[in-house]
């Protein structure tokens, strides 16, 4: 019932775009090669080859259910006004858990939230990581994404975490990476570990644009090297005769990258499975995704309609310009996933960059730590230590929620009062009553009006 697309999703527009149907292409690919899924291979080893067809059909059934429920669960919940009663009514666990194994990043991208928000440079303790994976297994979570705000390749135990998750039967493992440190040895280790999906973040189709968009934080970053890493990974995967991980690359659209889209698709189409474009979301970098002429049209439109000058807008990959109608849609993320930070604090949304709205705590050390790690980074910013020079405008964020419970299980948090209260406000259309949601720029929560049906 709830794994069907619902009316509540019909007016929602998704802002990761490609030249093909990315979701259905991925679905077909994963099902075609399901017998190569390492979780399936581990189970087959224990159950015996005589059950291969039965087990394979079950894995395919589960994967279809997972992908259908990604949009279906939120749609059903929103259509039926399931706020604080969602878990009690459906008994559905989160479809995905994001585990921030590394909060640190080796780049200093101008559009990154780090330029505006003080963020700890930490790695997750491996015992905590394994404990979270165990809880995911216990709660029947389909997917684990091994990153949030940082670069997962910087954690030396990443392949071990992936392999452990596959042994536990986790259907899908995912990482987002900038590919800066994607060496030959790391490439082989990720493939052998059983990684299912690898998403590259690579902005710019030319050296000059990439240099602006993806500067190194501690040392110089180079277009040719990272581009070479990505091409080499494809070659290694072919040599190892592994269909996984399926790869995807995406670029944030700003004024400079908008005109490089065709070249971007061209240089990656033969070495990456999916090429996509992602709408720009302001995170403190004060960049623009429109040129001055389009900006003038936006200002004129807002004045004509009596709208505030900061009315949200969106320019898609084809150049269509959209302006917010004003009303917001309930967020899908609160029915799809949760995010666990490096120290075990749990958040409802991957857009909570400043860790302002915790909904639970998996480890007492997170409460004991308090703001210590944030203050350490703030001090390094003030003294302009190497790697922190560009963060002079970064501010400390004040939490909206103070937790007292700790050593919770992800099931307790998912079914808990804090997240339930947020869902209740969302289905009532009161997003503004949730402080972290009030000014959230996640474009998929907005209803859009196309500006004059024109391409700009």
């Amino acid at each position: 019932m709830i794994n069907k697309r619902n009316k509540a999703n019909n007016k929602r527009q998704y802002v990761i775009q490609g030249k093909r149907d990315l979701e259905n292409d991925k679905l077909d690919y994963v099902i075609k090669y399901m017998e190569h899924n390492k979780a399936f291979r581990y189970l087959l080893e224990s159950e015996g080859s005589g059950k291969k067809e039965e087990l394979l059909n079950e894995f395919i059934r589960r994967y279809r259910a997972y992908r259908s429920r990604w949009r279906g669960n939120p749609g059903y919940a929103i259509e039926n006004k399931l706020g604080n009663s969602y878990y009690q009514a459906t008994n559905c666990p989160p479809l995905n858990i994001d585990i921030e194994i590394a909060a640190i990043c080796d780049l200093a991208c101008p559009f990154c939230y780090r330029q505006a928000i003080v963020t700890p440079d930490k790695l997750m303790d491996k015992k905590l990581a394994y404990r979270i994976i165990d809880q995911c297994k216990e709660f029947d979570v389909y997917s684990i994404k091994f990153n949030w705000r940082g670069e997962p390749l910087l954690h030396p135990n990443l392949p071990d975490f992936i392999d452990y998750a596959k042994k536990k039967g986790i259907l899908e493992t995912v990482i987002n990476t900038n590919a800066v440190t994607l060496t030959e040895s790391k490439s082989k280790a990720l493939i052998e570990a059983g990684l299912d999906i690898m998403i590259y973040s690579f902005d710019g189709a030319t050296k000059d644009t990439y240099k602006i968009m993806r500067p190194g934080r501690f040392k110089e970053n180079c277009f040719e090297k990272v581009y070479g890493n990505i091409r080499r990974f494809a070659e290694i995967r072919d040599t190892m005769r592994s269909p996984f991980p399926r790869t995807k690359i995406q670029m944030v659209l700003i004024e400079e990258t908008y005109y490089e889209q065709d070249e971007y698709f061209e240089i990656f189409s033969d070495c990456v499975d999916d090429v996509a474009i992602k709408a720009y979301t302001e995170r403190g970098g004060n960049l623009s995704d429109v040129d001055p002429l389009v900006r003038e049209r936006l200002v004129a439109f807002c004045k004509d309609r009596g709208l505030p000058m900061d009315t949200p807008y969106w320019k898609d990959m084809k150049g269509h310009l959209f302006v917010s109608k004003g009303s917001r849609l309930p967020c899908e993320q609160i029915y799809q996933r949760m995010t666990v930070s490096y120290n075990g604090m749990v958040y409802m949304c991957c857009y909570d960059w400043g860790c302002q709205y915790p909904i639970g705590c998996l480890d007492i050390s997170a409460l004991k730590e308090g703001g210590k790690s944030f203050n350490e980074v703030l001090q390094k910013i003030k003294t302009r230590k190497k790697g922190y020079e560009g963060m002079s405008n970064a501010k400390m964020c004040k939490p909206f929620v103070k937790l007292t419970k700790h050593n919770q299980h992800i099931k307790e948090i998912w079914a808990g009062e804090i997240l339930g209260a947020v869902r209740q406000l969302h289905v009532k259309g009161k997003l503004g009553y949730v402080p972290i949601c009030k000014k959230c720029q996640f474009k998929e929560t907005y209803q859009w009006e196309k500006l004059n049906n024109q391409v700009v």
Side-chain angles (χ1 to χ4, degrees):
M1 177 171 59
I2 69 170
N3 58 354
K4 294 180 180 179
R5 290 181 182 255
N6 300 86
K7 296 177 184 178
N9 285 341
N10 291 344
K11 52 192 175 183
R12 195 182 302 271
Q13 292 176 267
Y14 299 103
V15 294
I16 294 181
Q17 301 175 294
K19 293 186 176 181
R20 297 180 286 104
D21 187 335
L22 299 177
E23 174 61 23
N24 281 321
D25 280 0
K26 184 180 81 169
L27 179 68
D28 292 343
Y29 185 94
V30 172
I31 289 173
K32 179 180 178 180
Y33 294 108
M34 186 61 76
E35 64 181 295
H36 295 272
N37 185 302
K38 198 169 184 182
F40 169 75
R41 301 205 312 268
Y42 273 131
L43 186 60
L44 190 62
E45 280 180 18
S46 64
E47 295 289 331
S49 59
K51 290 190 174 182
K52 180 177 180 180
E53 185 174 352
E54 176 187 345
L55 295 174
L56 186 58
N57 287 336
E58 176 60 15
F59 263 71
I60 291 172
R61 183 200 66 77
R62 288 188 68 229
Y63 190 78
R64 286 187 184 278
Y66 159 52
R67 292 317 304 167
S68 179
R69 289 169 180 168
W70 190 256
R71 303 297 184 199
N73 281 17
Y76 177 82
I78 294 165
E79 184 178 345
N80 291 280
K81 305 295 183 183
L82 298 180
N84 53 20
S85 64
Y86 172 71
Y87 183 69
Q88 291 75 12
T90 65
N91 202 36
C92 286
L95 304 172
N96 174 83
I97 296 292
D98 293 355
I99 305 177
E100 186 184 46
I101 62 170
I104 191 171
C105 188
D106 46 3
L107 294 184
C109 305
F111 54 84
C112 182
Y113 66 89
R114 287 178 183 272
Q115 314 309 320
I117 298 172
V118 174
T119 310
D121 289 322
K122 293 289 186 178
L123 298 179
M124 178 177 281
D125 179 79
K126 63 181 182 180
K127 290 182 180 179
L128 175 59
Y130 288 128
R131 180 148 54 92
I132 297 169
I133 296 169
D134 286 340
Q135 291 189 13
C136 288
K137 167 64 177 176
E138 293 163 8
F139 201 20
D140 201 25
V141 172
Y142 290 104
S143 175
I144 295 177
K145 187 177 183 184
F146 285 100
N147 65 278
W148 176 26
R149 298 172 296 177
E151 172 49 52
L153 294 184
L154 297 180
H155 201 299
N157 298 111
L158 173 60
D160 300 324
F161 297 152
I162 295 168
D163 182 65
Y164 186 77
K166 302 311 285 187
K167 283 179 180 175
K168 289 292 180 177
I170 300 300
L171 190 61
E172 179 184 81
T173 54
V174 186
I175 64 168
N176 275 79
T177 177
N178 57 35
V180 171
T181 62
L182 187 61
T183 61
E184 181 177 353
S185 60
K186 285 184 181 180
S187 297
K188 291 178 180 177
L190 292 173
I191 295 169
E192 290 170 352
L195 181 64
D196 296 289
I197 305 290
M198 182 154 67
I199 304 170
Y200 299 117
S201 296
F202 190 101
D203 296 283
T206 63
K207 298 176 187 178
D208 290 341
T209 302
Y210 181 82
K211 185 176 182 179
I212 295 170
M213 295 290 285
R214 291 273 164 179
R217 182 178 169 195
F218 302 105
K219 60 182 179 180
E220 187 176 356
N221 186 33
C222 176
F223 174 97
E224 293 91 343
K225 177 186 174 183
V226 181
Y227 179 59
N229 289 348
I230 293 170
R231 298 199 68 90
R232 182 180 59 211
F233 185 89
E235 294 168 1
I236 292 172
R237 192 185 69 171
D238 288 345
T239 300
M240 295 177 67
R241 297 183 179 180
S242 173
F244 296 112
R246 182 172 175 85
T247 55
K248 175 182 176 181
I249 195 164
Q250 55 193 31
M251 175 173 70
V252 175
L253 279 186
I254 63 166
E255 183 179 351
E256 289 81 0
T257 60
Y258 177 80
Y259 298 100
E260 295 184 359
Q261 290 183 73
D262 289 341
E263 190 174 352
Y264 189 78
F265 278 91
E266 182 180 341
I267 66 174
F268 287 114
S269 61
D270 65 338
C271 63
V272 179
D273 296 311
D274 293 325
V275 184
I277 302 298
K278 185 176 183 180
Y280 170 66
T281 301
E282 173 58 46
R283 301 174 183 175
N286 294 319
L287 302 180
S288 177
D289 51 353
V290 295
D291 57 43
L293 181 60
V294 175
R295 173 66 65 182
E296 288 180 13
R297 289 183 56 197
L298 277 170
V299 170
F301 179 85
C302 290
K303 286 182 177 178
D304 183 60
R305 297 290 184 93
L307 299 173
M309 288 299 107
D310 61 351
T311 297
Y313 67 88
W314 163 42
K315 182 180 178 181
D316 72 8
M317 66 180 291
K318 294 181 179 179
H320 297 117
L321 192 63
F322 300 85
V323 178
S324 170
K325 293 181 179 180
S327 56
R328 300 270 300 281
L329 298 169
C331 187
E332 291 182 312
Q333 286 204 34
I334 54 179
Y335 298 101
Q336 294 169 329
R337 68 206 295 181
M338 292 191 298
T339 296
V340 185
S341 69
Y342 71 93
N343 60 7
M345 294 292 275
V346 182
Y347 301 89
M348 62 182 172
C349 174
C350 66
Y351 269 61
D352 188 1
W353 313 112
C355 299
Q356 293 182 276
Y357 212 95
I359 59 173
C361 179
L362 302 181
D363 196 272
I364 191 172
S365 63
L367 296 184
K368 289 181 177 179
E369 179 186 16
K372 181 180 177 182
S373 295
F374 292 85
N375 286 319
E376 288 174 354
V377 172
L378 185 61
Q379 186 59 33
K380 291 175 182 178
I381 292 172
K382 289 180 178 178
T383 57
R384 298 185 64 82
K385 189 173 180 179
K386 184 173 177 58
Y388 299 83
E389 305 94 329
M391 303 177 184
S392 58
N393 294 322
K395 308 294 183 183
M396 295 279 278
C397 290
K398 294 182 179 180
F400 295 117
V401 178
K402 186 174 182 179
L403 300 178
T404 55
K405 288 185 178 182
H406 56 80
N407 286 34
Q408 294 174 282
H409 192 286
I410 59 172
K411 181 176 182 178
E412 177 188 352
I413 299 168
W414 180 250
E417 293 180 1
I418 300 177
L419 185 52
V422 171
R423 290 179 181 136
Q424 188 71 12
L425 289 169
H426 272 243
V427 296
K428 288 184 175 181
K430 297 182 178 180
L431 280 68
Y433 286 74
V434 185
I436 196 66
C437 304
K438 185 176 183 179
K439 294 186 177 181
C440 178
Q441 297 192 40
F442 187 44
K443 288 181 166 52
E444 292 171 7
T445 63
Y446 287 87
Q447 296 188 65
W448 300 104
E449 177 182 352
K450 189 181 289 186
L451 182 58
N452 299 330
N453 275 329
Q454 294 179 4
V455 174
V456 294

